[in-house]
Amino acid sequence: MERKQFSQYRNEEMATLDFDDFKLNSDGMIPVITQDDKTGQVLMLAYMTKEAYQKTLETGKMTYFSRSRQELWCKGDTSGHYQYVKSLSIDCDQDTILARVDQVGAACHTGHYSCFYRDLFRTEE
Amino acid sequence: MERKQFSQYRNEEMATLDFDDFKLNSDGMIPVITQDDKTGQVLMLAYMTKEAYQKTLETGKMTYFSRSRQELWCKGDTSGHYQYVKSLSIDCDQDTILARVDQVGAACHTGHYSCFYRDLFRTEE
């Protein structure tokens, strides 16, 4: 199993799938993993409805469905910390999206670059 | 906002949280993003119950809850493609785990290294 450096990952396979081909979770949404396209750092996990997915494709800016506010949420509209889409990939089961983005500023509302700024466990180096 | 290379990311903050502190989804589980610790490639998204989380900490091997088979699932027990835990991080909302792992072989049951082997959309370079 050949291991490449992160920046070398570019999928050669394309899928011609619509949102209706995706498998949704119990809330009728699809989870989206958002990753910094340059560094490989995972920034956050959020959720999309069909409308959020279509808006993301139309605008090129990551748009989620806010579960707390129950409304479309274009990331950055309040903070200016937009996420510009570089690529969207779908997993084997068609129930999760991976987004590679160009992140402006910090992804986390706490001001951290990534929402995953706290370790629960780690092995010693 | 300083951008580091992927391998330089090591969280300095530690959280002393138990599974009971996590916010679970509508199915009573927590989603887990699994990422190759060396390359930064996102491999898969799966789900953990409390038992799966405890088993993962005990064994050092990623153990999920299989939603299709409704049972604990130590990744690699069938395929040999184990995922050895390097770190587990929790997000700001405490509703998603990020696992960095040492992946043996391919993460995807299709034989692909990552489950996200098909692009839906990508910008031109």
Side-chain angles (χ1 to χ4, degrees):
Chain A
M1 191 68 42
E2 187 200 1
R3 276 216 172 101
K4 307 181 218 175
Q5 286 306 300
F6 179 72
S7 58
Q8 295 176 272
Y9 280 97
R10 288 288 179 260
N11 285 331
E12 285 171 24
E13 288 185 53
M14 289 291 286
T16 47
L17 297 170
D18 295 322
F19 190 87
D20 296 332
D21 297 313
F22 302 157
K23 207 171 134 192
L24 306 181
N25 68 10
S26 299
D27 302 322
M29 290 180 257
I30 188 163
V32 181
I33 302 165
T34 305
Q35 182 178 35
D36 188 306
D37 182 60
K38 289 201 188 67
T39 65
Q41 187 71 358
V42 173
L43 301 171
M44 57 187 281
L45 184 80
Y47 296 83
M48 280 185 186
T49 53
K50 184 172 184 170
E51 200 184 349
Y53 180 71
Q54 288 171 336
K55 205 84 182 166
T56 298
L57 288 180
E58 276 167 36
T59 62
K61 292 186 282 197
M62 292 300 290
T63 306
Y64 307 102
F65 187 81
S66 167
R67 294 171 302 163
S68 53
R69 296 191 308 273
Q70 288 284 306
E71 61 182 23
L72 273 195
W73 161 42
C74 176
K75 177 86 184 161
D77 267 357
T78 307
S79 62
H81 293 169
Y82 289 102
Q83 298 174 327
Y84 293 97
V85 184
K86 301 296 284 184
S87 68
L88 300 175
S89 314
I90 188 79
D91 75 339
C92 50
D93 295 330
Q94 297 174 198
D95 64 5
T96 309
I97 290 172
L98 172 64
R100 289 175 55 146
V101 305
D102 190 1
Q103 171 71 53
V104 177
C108 187
H109 72 284
T110 61
H112 290 84
Y113 161 59
S114 161
C115 292
F116 298 94
Y117 56 88
R118 293 174 297 171
D119 281 345
L120 295 161
F121 165 86
R122 58 182 171 232
T123 55
E124 298 300 317
E125 292 302 297
Chain B
M1 190 67 42
E2 187 198 1
R3 277 216 172 100
K4 307 180 217 175
Q5 286 307 299
F6 178 72
S7 58
Q8 294 175 274
Y9 279 98
R10 288 288 178 260
N11 285 331
E12 285 170 24
E13 287 185 53
M14 288 291 286
T16 47
L17 297 171
D18 296 321
F19 191 88
D20 296 333
D21 298 313
F22 302 156
K23 206 171 135 193
L24 307 181
N25 68 11
S26 300
D27 302 321
M29 292 181 256
I30 188 163
V32 181
I33 302 166
T34 305
Q35 182 178 34
D36 188 308
D37 182 60
K38 289 200 188 69
T39 63
Q41 187 71 358
V42 173
L43 301 172
M44 55 187 283
L45 183 79
Y47 296 83
M48 281 185 186
T49 54
K50 184 174 187 172
E51 201 185 349
Y53 180 71
Q54 289 171 334
K55 204 85 182 166
T56 298
L57 288 179
E58 275 166 38
T59 62
K61 291 185 283 195
M62 292 300 290
T63 305
Y64 307 102
F65 187 80
S66 167
R67 294 172 301 163
S68 53
R69 296 192 307 274
Q70 288 285 305
E71 61 182 25
L72 273 196
W73 161 43
C74 176
K75 178 86 183 161
D77 267 357
T78 307
S79 62
H81 294 168
Y82 288 104
Q83 298 174 328
Y84 294 97
V85 183
K86 301 297 284 185
S87 69
L88 299 176
S89 313
I90 188 79
D91 75 339
C92 49
D93 295 330
Q94 297 175 198
D95 65 4
T96 309
I97 291 173
L98 172 64
R100 289 175 55 146
V101 305
D102 191 0
Q103 172 72 52
V104 177
C108 187
H109 73 285
T110 60
H112 290 84
Y113 162 59
S114 161
C115 292
F116 299 94
Y117 56 89
R118 293 173 297 171
D119 281 346
L120 295 160
F121 166 85
R122 59 182 171 232
T123 55
E124 297 301 317
E125 291 303 294

